[in-house]
Amino acid sequence: MIEDIITKMQDDKTGGVPIRTVKSFLSKIPSVVTGTDVVQWLMKNLSIEDPVEAIHLGSLIAAQGYIFPISDHVLTMKDDGTFYRFQAPYFWPSNCWEPENTDYAIYLCKRTMQNKARLELADYEAENLARLQRAFARKWEFIFMQAEAQVKIDRKKDKTERKILDSQERAFWDVHRPVPGCVNTTEMDIRKCRRLKNPQKVKKSVYGVTEESQAQSPVHVLSQPIRKTTKEDIRKQITFLNTQIDRHCLKMSKVAESLIAYTEQYMEYDPLITPAEPSNPWISDDVALWDIEMSKEPSQQRVKRWGFSFDEILKDQVGRDQFLRFLESEFSSENLRFWLAVQDLKKQPLQDVAKRVEEIWQEFLAPGAPSAINLDSHSYEITSQNVKDGGRYTFEDAQEHIYKLMKSDSYARFLRSNAYQDLLLAKKKPESEQGRRTSLEKFTRSVVSSVGFLPSTFLLILVLVFSFFFLFFPLWLLFPLGWEGVQCFLP
């Protein structure tokens, strides 16, 4: 049907679209039509009243490669003065000619040999050429020779004819190897549908470009009765295609970068990579690490981890306490208390679930609740319906809403607050708060640390002797003066 329309558009005898040669600065553009001419012809000859519908139909025709813009790789129709050119019948999709990767490699290689600004490779085409060169490294010399031979043949053609042929060939590859982000209209063509029913043909992938290969002998398959397509089938297909369009795809390089960044961030917290400080209690008798983890005064390393993500601070008991204090200062602590209450609800015995659901509802969500939380109308309506038949996951929607609210708003302010920054800097307490040590205590500790290998009894005697000597050292100096001399210094 599209080909019939294209044939009528090119027929001058039946009032087709006027094809003309346009003069530009120092050159001519042969055999072109404007987007406005195409849209007006479609409205006139197909009884279309809405210009938007005519533009949509023109875009569908362009997406199949029957008509293409001469200065853009994106096959769409515009109702303006953009120049378009009709595709040669040799390149029409009805010929069921699906090119192979070697053909695409020859085409790209040929483009690099032609010193024309309009024939320079785009970024995605240069990437595809590099991938194909790696994939066909063994027979790249053959591909290069084929491209060189085609270039020599093209140079013998007329300049105008060569310009038209170059644009038609480029449009053909824009259909079969489209620009990233554009819909590939050849994914479900007649050859591919037929190939799905023929198990002897196997589809291989070479760096994002497809190729076929012949396998074993054909297998006879019993024909199935053809079922007429219904509206429900069309709806399911539309839903599936919309899902595929909205699907978020990531490049492997981006995934690798994210994995490397995550590994580097958590490297110091992995005991298999970075030794634990002060020591690993699982391989030594020192339990100081567990004491530090149980302490209410977290270490600088532990506080730093809270800033990695909101989940990190929620997993840490001390982090939750610090975050709760911050929310209390902002008069929004009910959000975290509600989230914790819902988490606790999921662990309750089944016989206590209904009672706990009612308590949470009365405290946080009921009209006039003492600790009312801010929910949107949709989540509140769903939660109200779930409370009638309470279960462990009654408040799932409300909890997710509060989680996103705290993560996007309160958590960001907590990281910028003075309370978190003071913990992160791990400021030392003043000397007055730490307490002063006497010279004897300091000396005793230094002696103990230096001779820790001595027996405990001998160590105690040694400490007492040194302590007695240093305490009464001034009196030893006065003994040569006699008792009269000593009395002079005594009060």
Side-chain angles (χ1 to χ4, degrees):
M1 182 178 179
I2 295 178
E3 293 175 2
D4 293 339
I5 296 174
I6 294 297
T7 303
K8 292 179 181 178
M9 291 175 69
Q10 298 182 77
D11 190 357
D12 295 334
K13 297 180 181 179
T14 59
V17 180
I19 301 175
R20 55 185 181 271
T21 299
V22 180
K23 293 183 179 179
S24 64
F25 182 69
L26 299 178
S27 63
K28 294 181 180 180
I29 306 176
S31 304
V32 294
V33 297
T34 62
T36 303
D37 294 338
V38 175
V39 173
Q40 290 179 356
W41 189 93
L42 292 174
M43 294 178 64
K44 178 181 178 181
N45 292 270
L46 300 181
S47 302
I48 300 175
E49 298 180 357
D50 189 0
V52 177
E53 184 178 352
I55 295 172
H56 177 65
L57 178 59
S59 297
L60 293 178
I61 296 174
Q64 300 293 331
Y66 291 98
I67 186 171
F68 58 89
I70 65 172
S71 59
D72 195 357
H73 288 273
V74 181
L75 303 177
T76 56
M77 178 62 64
K78 298 178 182 178
D79 188 8
D80 54 16
T82 304
F83 292 126
Y84 292 84
R85 186 171 286 148
F86 289 102
Q87 183 63 281
Y90 175 75
F91 294 112
W92 283 358
S94 60
N95 292 324
C96 294
W97 173 43
E98 184 175 351
E100 297 180 355
N101 294 332
T102 53
D103 300 326
Y104 188 43
I106 293 172
Y107 163 72
L108 294 178
C109 190
K110 182 175 65 174
R111 288 264 300 275
T112 60
M113 300 178 184
Q114 298 170 336
N115 298 324
K116 297 291 178 75
R118 58 186 174 82
L119 295 174
E120 290 181 357
L121 295 180
D123 292 339
Y124 79 96
E125 291 177 324
E127 293 177 2
N128 289 339
L129 178 60
R131 294 191 187 104
L132 290 168
Q133 190 171 0
R134 291 194 299 267
F136 300 117
R138 296 184 177 180
K139 56 180 179 179
W140 188 253
E141 185 177 355
F142 169 76
I143 293 174
F144 185 84
M145 292 173 58
Q146 289 286 332
E148 195 173 21
Q150 291 187 17
V151 169
K152 291 180 180 179
I153 296 173
D154 291 341
R155 286 174 180 170
K156 297 178 181 179
K157 297 179 181 178
D158 181 66
K159 182 179 180 181
T160 302
E161 182 184 359
R162 188 168 65 247
K163 185 182 292 186
I164 295 174
L165 182 61
D166 289 341
S167 65
Q168 291 175 340
E169 190 176 9
R170 188 209 67 188
F172 170 79
W173 288 109
D174 286 340
V175 173
H176 292 273
R177 299 292 186 270
V179 179
C182 295
V183 178
N184 188 355
T185 57
T186 63
E187 284 184 343
M188 296 300 293
D189 62 2
I190 187 171
R191 283 177 61 93
K192 290 191 176 182
C193 292
R194 196 169 69 242
R195 194 162 58 241
L196 294 176
K197 298 180 181 180
N198 293 340
Q200 73 272 12
K201 289 192 176 182
V202 183
K203 183 178 180 181
K204 295 184 179 180
S205 175
V206 180
Y207 296 97
V209 235
T210 57
E211 192 174 58
E212 297 178 31
S213 63
Q214 185 72 23
Q216 302 173 357
S217 58
V219 179
H220 296 283
V221 181
L222 295 176
S223 59
Q224 299 292 334
I226 300 176
R227 185 173 64 89
K228 189 176 180 180
T229 305
T230 62
K231 292 183 178 179
E232 187 63 28
D233 296 335
I234 299 298
R235 290 193 188 98
K236 289 181 180 179
Q237 186 177 6
I238 293 174
T239 304
F240 172 76
L241 294 177
N242 288 333
T243 305
Q244 294 297 106
I245 292 174
D246 296 336
R247 186 177 62 179
H248 185 61
C249 298
L250 288 176
K251 292 184 177 179
M252 183 57 66
S253 59
K254 297 294 182 182
V255 175
E257 290 176 3
S258 301
L259 182 59
I260 292 173
Y262 178 86
T263 304
E264 292 176 349
Q265 187 179 44
Y266 284 89
M267 183 179 297
E268 59 178 317
Y269 300 94
D270 191 342
L272 297 177
I273 301 176
T274 304
E277 294 182 359
S279 63
N280 191 340
W282 294 104
I283 59 177
S284 65
D285 295 333
D286 187 8
V287 294
L289 179 64
W290 289 339
D291 295 337
I292 293 174
E293 292 294 327
M294 294 298 294
S295 174
K296 293 185 178 180
E297 296 182 359
S299 61
Q300 185 179 9
Q301 185 185 24
R302 187 174 177 184
V303 174
K304 179 183 176 182
R305 186 168 181 171
W306 299 348
F308 291 169
S309 66
F310 186 49
D311 292 327
E312 290 291 344
I313 197 172
L314 291 179
K315 289 190 296 185
D316 194 334
Q317 176 64 42
V318 180
R320 290 199 302 269
D321 295 340
Q322 294 291 339
F323 187 54
L324 182 60
R325 292 177 188 174
F326 172 76
L327 293 179
E328 288 175 351
S329 66
E330 292 195 339
F331 305 100
S332 58
S333 61
E334 65 275 359
N335 291 332
L336 181 58
R337 289 191 286 109
F338 170 76
W339 188 89
L340 294 174
V342 175
Q343 286 293 103
D344 182 66
L345 172 65
K346 298 175 183 179
K347 306 173 185 177
Q348 293 291 327
L350 186 60
Q351 61 270 19
D352 300 336
V353 168
K355 178 182 177 182
R356 186 57 183 151
V357 166
E358 183 63 24
E359 291 175 355
I360 295 175
W361 171 262
Q362 294 297 331
E363 183 179 359
F364 297 101
L365 292 168
S371 301
I373 58 175
N374 187 14
L375 278 185
D376 61 292
S377 57
H378 179 69
S379 300
Y380 187 83
E381 184 178 354
I382 294 177
T383 306
S384 301
Q385 296 295 329
N386 293 341
V387 168
K388 297 178 181 179
D389 186 16
R392 288 194 176 95
Y393 301 94
T394 299
F395 303 100
E396 192 72 17
D397 293 277
Q399 186 189 29
E400 183 179 358
H401 177 79
I402 293 299
Y403 175 86
K404 293 179 179 178
L405 181 64
M406 292 191 297
K407 181 179 180 180
S408 60
D409 186 27
S410 303
Y411 174 65
R413 290 201 306 273
F414 171 73
L415 296 181
R416 297 192 300 266
S417 65
N418 294 331
Y420 177 75
Q421 294 299 328
D422 291 343
L423 291 172
L424 188 61
L425 295 175
K427 294 182 178 179
K428 295 183 179 180
K429 296 182 179 180
E431 188 178 358
S432 59
E433 296 181 5
Q434 292 182 357
R436 300 180 180 273
R437 295 177 180 175
T438 62
S439 58
L440 176 61
E441 182 182 359
K442 293 180 180 179
F443 174 75
T444 304
R445 289 180 178 273
S446 63
V447 171
V448 171
S449 61
S450 61
V451 293
F453 62 93
L454 296 176
S456 58
T457 305
F458 179 74
L459 179 62
L460 179 61
I461 296 173
L462 186 62
V463 170
L464 292 176
V465 170
F466 273 96
S467 302
F468 180 81
F469 175 77
F470 279 101
L471 286 176
F472 297 98
F473 179 72
L475 298 180
W476 288 99
L477 298 176
L478 299 177
F479 282 160
L481 300 178
W483 177 247
E484 290 80 10
V486 174
Q487 286 181 340
C488 296
F489 291 90
L490 293 176

